[in-house]
Amino acid sequence: MGYGFGDECRRRFYSTVSMENKACILITGASSGMGREMAVRFSAVCRVILNGRDTKRLEETRQLCTNPAEQLIWQYDLAKVEELESSFAAFMSAHQIRISYFVHCAGFMKTYPLKMVTAGLFQDTFNVNVISGALLIKSLMNRKMNDTALKSVVLISSNISNFGAKAFSVYGASKGAVDALMRSLAVELAPRVRVNSVLPGGVRTAMTEHMYQDQELINRMATAYPLGLGRVGDIYEAVNFLLSDKARWVTGQQFIVDGGRTINITG
Amino acid sequence: MKEQLAELLEVDEVKDSDVLKDFECWDSLTILSIIAWASENYGKTLLAKDVNEAKTVGGLLALLQ
């Protein structure tokens, strides 16, 4: 189609020769699934900062990217929220980069019924899904660390955010929190920075793979999704649009990308 | 192990010969809880099918060995 975030990055890239001036994008959860796909696709037009826990898998992602040598790895476990800001500050200082775009793909999901729910499960889930994302935006807004480079943020939420399902209480609460965070920050950081979220339906990734071991569930899903099952690339397209200047008047919005799953009330 | 399972099945104690389907609280959420418990405490990945096919408490515990 020839428009979107890619073109904007490309313009920057082609109008400047040095790598330092290419727009940088931070992607959490880049070691697998959705985050890996985002990293690989955005690397065609941006300099990508890959975050994840596992250095080996992050390196695999880096090798899948365009110009692997240009892409950076920030290995950090986002569950450790106490030291997150200092680790990220050290990374930024070491590389002297400025980040314009941020996609929070990292996700922690355990589908536990209420009787298996613990305070620790809430803490682990909220640390990764909500708190780490908020602290990274805070860091990226810091002028000493990132000047006024940040332009647009997309938080990966979930279509459970506005609905309910058995065994999804903790994960669902965390995604509801992601969207509440997104709306308040969209107001607080306007007009310079836009903040939106993408709410995917069930997409098969490493995080959800255990659910897809059940053929019955796959069959049920196929009938519940009017457009059939989705792919990681479908989520990338929505993120790409929201990050781009094509969405310059869009902020504080939930963009549901779920093949029509949540508007389907067929009995 | 049996104590934890009794807790999940919402009874005071369980015996190897107890039939899983006969527990009052036996439903899809209890099966999910057992799957989560097995993964969390014993590093075992069980499917709902495995739990159902275990039939008894003894059969279920054997899956965790």
Side-chain angles (χ1 to χ4, degrees):
Chain A
M1 295 293 284
Y3 57 80
F5 177 60
D7 272 18
E8 192 203 343
C9 277
R10 209 169 285 125
R11 274 200 305 279
R12 281 163 174 261
F13 182 51
Y14 287 125
S15 64
T16 54
V17 179
S18 68
M19 190 171 76
E20 284 70 28
N21 288 329
K22 197 169 174 183
C24 289
I25 180 169
L26 169 64
I27 299 175
T28 60
S31 54
S32 62
M34 216 170 268
R36 173 175 279 181
E37 173 88 9
M38 301 278 170
V40 171
R41 297 185 66 166
F42 281 123
S43 71
V45 286
C46 280
R47 189 173 193 197
V48 181
I49 319 306
L50 309 162
N51 160 258
R53 277 176 300 182
D54 185 327
T55 309
K56 188 164 161 262
R57 286 193 292 138
L58 285 171
E59 187 55 40
E60 285 168 15
T61 302
R62 196 160 78 101
Q63 293 307 321
L64 292 169
C65 287
T66 306
N67 303 324
E70 194 175 287
Q71 320 308 341
L72 296 173
I73 288 177
W74 172 49
Q75 185 277 328
Y76 190 79
D77 180 357
L78 298 181
K80 296 177 182 155
V81 289
E82 300 299 333
E83 290 95 43
L84 187 152
E85 289 172 90
S86 56
S87 168
F88 187 62
F91 172 84
M92 291 292 282
S93 163
H95 293 280
Q96 289 296 309
I97 48 166
R98 295 293 176 258
I99 293 176
S100 304
Y101 303 98
F102 170 39
V103 186
H104 188 43
C105 276
F108 183 95
M109 181 177 77
K110 282 189 175 174
T111 48
Y112 281 10
L114 186 60
K115 67 170 96 177
M116 285 297 291
V117 168
T118 60
L121 176 65
F122 264 106
Q123 200 61 65
D124 291 346
T125 308
F126 274 68
N127 279 352
V128 175
N129 296 357
V130 188
I131 299 172
S132 69
L135 294 178
L136 284 169
I137 297 171
K138 178 187 164 192
S139 296
L140 293 170
M141 287 304 292
N142 183 306
R143 282 171 195 258
K144 276 198 294 182
M145 191 187 302
N146 199 37
D147 292 331
T148 54
L150 189 65
K151 290 181 70 175
S152 186
V153 173
V154 172
L155 303 175
I156 301 299
S157 177
S158 161
N159 67 351
I160 192 72
S161 177
N162 302 328
F163 296 91
K166 285 179 183 177
F168 274 86
S169 57
V170 177
Y171 183 74
S174 78
K175 293 302 189 179
V178 165
D179 289 321
L181 174 77
M182 176 275 292
R183 282 186 284 260
S184 282
L185 290 183
V187 175
E188 187 169 332
L189 306 186
R192 182 157 65 79
V193 179
R194 295 181 301 102
V195 187
N196 292 285
S197 62
V198 168
L199 284 64
V203 174
R204 194 165 180 166
T205 65
M207 187 183 82
T208 56
E209 185 57 32
H210 65 283
M211 298 169 75
Y212 290 86
Q213 299 302 309
D214 183 349
Q215 187 57 43
E216 252 180 59
L217 179 102
I218 295 176
N219 297 344
R220 268 207 317 275
M221 284 179 74
T223 56
Y225 285 72
L227 297 183
L229 297 180
R231 293 191 289 262
V232 179
D234 299 322
I235 310 308
Y236 160 81
E237 295 295 347
V239 172
N240 186 31
F241 167 72
L242 287 171
L243 288 181
S244 80
D245 282 351
K246 291 288 173 186
R248 61 158 224 103
W249 210 39
V250 180
T251 196
Q253 300 304 308
Q254 296 177 315
F255 188 167
I256 300 166
V257 184
D258 71 350
R261 170 69 180 90
T262 49
I263 49 90
N264 183 8
I265 60 163
T266 305
Chain B
M1 193 187 253
K2 273 189 183 163
E3 262 175 43
Q4 289 175 342
L5 190 56
E7 190 67 29
L8 285 178
L9 294 168
E10 298 172 29
V11 292
D12 290 332
E13 53 179 9
V14 292
K15 294 194 298 286
D16 283 347
S17 57
D18 289 345
V19 175
L20 296 172
K21 273 198 295 193
D22 293 345
F23 285 96
E24 261 181 49
C25 74
W26 190 253
D27 60 9
S28 62
L29 284 174
T30 298
I31 294 174
L32 257 181
S33 298
I34 288 170
I35 292 170
W37 169 69
S39 157
E40 195 98 324
N41 297 282
Y42 303 98
K44 297 275 181 186
T45 308
L46 300 182
L47 302 177
K49 184 169 73 80
D50 302 329
V51 178
N52 276 317
E53 285 173 1
K55 292 203 170 24
T56 61
V57 165
L60 182 59
L61 295 178
L63 292 176
L64 303 177
Q65 300 302 322

